[in-house]
Amino acid sequence: MHLGKRLAAIVLTCGLSAGLVGCGFHLKGTNPSSAPVAYSVMSLALPDNTEDLQEKLAVYLGAAGVQLSNAPDAYVLRVLDYTPRRLELNGKLVETLLRLNVTFRIEDAQGNPVTEPRTVIATRTYQYDIETVNTDDQEQKFLNQVLIDDVAQQIARQISSNRLPLAKPETSTQPAQ
């Protein structure tokens, strides 16, 4: 009797799996060729003191199928604004809010914008205890790395999804003659 239940469970599982596969279902991220990246060759242009973000972007963009290159015809991922913020919220407890705003756009090799600027934001909080200042400093350093990692993942997802809004063509303000 026990063998019969086990066999029935196996048959039911295989049947359901075959039904899902037959209707076209697949897990997210299992088919890398489903949407080719529009910006497959890209270079990075980041402000000073953003080496951690550059390293993370290189990892996540590479995993998304973007080849990083300094080729003259490569698109450029330009970070326009990199703003880390630290806010302390005082009340019964002291809570620290860490926030990182990064604004970026994609440009062609000549520096013309291809996409509109897009801002991604990452936020983390932790409670501050005056008695454990060293621990809080370590926690802040760790959470800053988490913020950078989160922002890099968001940027890579937006680029690989091919859904960044295209830049509006500049209109000429000269009167017609």
Side-chain angles (χ1 to χ4, degrees):
M1 188 71 173
H2 182 65
L3 182 62
K5 287 183 180 179
R6 186 177 279 173
L7 184 60
I10 291 172
V11 169
L12 181 63
T13 302
C14 289
L16 288 174
S17 298
L20 285 174
V21 170
C23 75
F25 175 82
H26 65 277
L27 295 174
K28 182 179 178 181
T30 58
N31 188 2
S33 63
S34 62
V37 179
Y39 314 105
S40 59
V41 179
M42 186 176 288
S43 65
L44 301 176
L46 285 81
D48 294 336
N49 301 324
T50 57
E51 293 84 17
D52 291 339
L53 178 61
Q54 185 168 0
E55 289 174 15
K56 297 289 185 177
L57 280 172
V59 169
Y60 292 122
L61 288 173
V66 176
Q67 178 186 357
L68 293 180
S69 169
N70 290 329
D73 60 340
Y75 288 100
V76 177
L77 171 63
R78 183 168 310 281
V79 172
L80 304 170
D81 182 42
Y82 181 90
T83 309
R85 290 199 174 110
R86 180 179 188 269
L87 302 169
E88 287 189 5
L89 309 171
N90 292 320
K92 287 184 178 181
L93 295 173
V94 177
E95 190 168 1
T96 302
L97 172 71
L98 300 174
R99 185 177 194 156
L100 178 60
N101 296 351
V102 176
T103 302
F104 71 96
R105 76 174 173 210
I106 297 177
E107 300 173 350
D108 62 13
Q110 291 75 34
N112 302 318
V114 175
T115 65
E116 289 293 318
R118 174 68 63 104
T119 300
V120 293
I121 301 169
T123 305
R124 297 289 186 273
T125 62
Y126 67 97
Q127 293 183 355
Y128 182 80
D129 184 2
I130 196 75
E131 296 172 2
T132 58
V133 174
N134 289 338
T135 305
D136 290 331
D137 289 343
Q138 292 172 359
E139 188 169 7
Q140 181 176 341
K141 287 178 184 176
F142 171 74
L143 289 176
N144 281 333
Q145 291 301 314
V146 170
L147 290 174
I148 291 169
D149 190 71
D150 188 19
V151 164
Q153 286 183 33
Q154 289 182 53
I155 292 171
R157 277 193 306 266
Q158 290 189 18
I159 290 172
S160 67
S161 71
N162 297 327
R163 293 190 179 178
L164 292 171
L166 296 178
K168 297 177 183 102
E170 295 182 22
T171 56
S172 176
T173 58
Q174 298 175 356
Q177 295 180 5

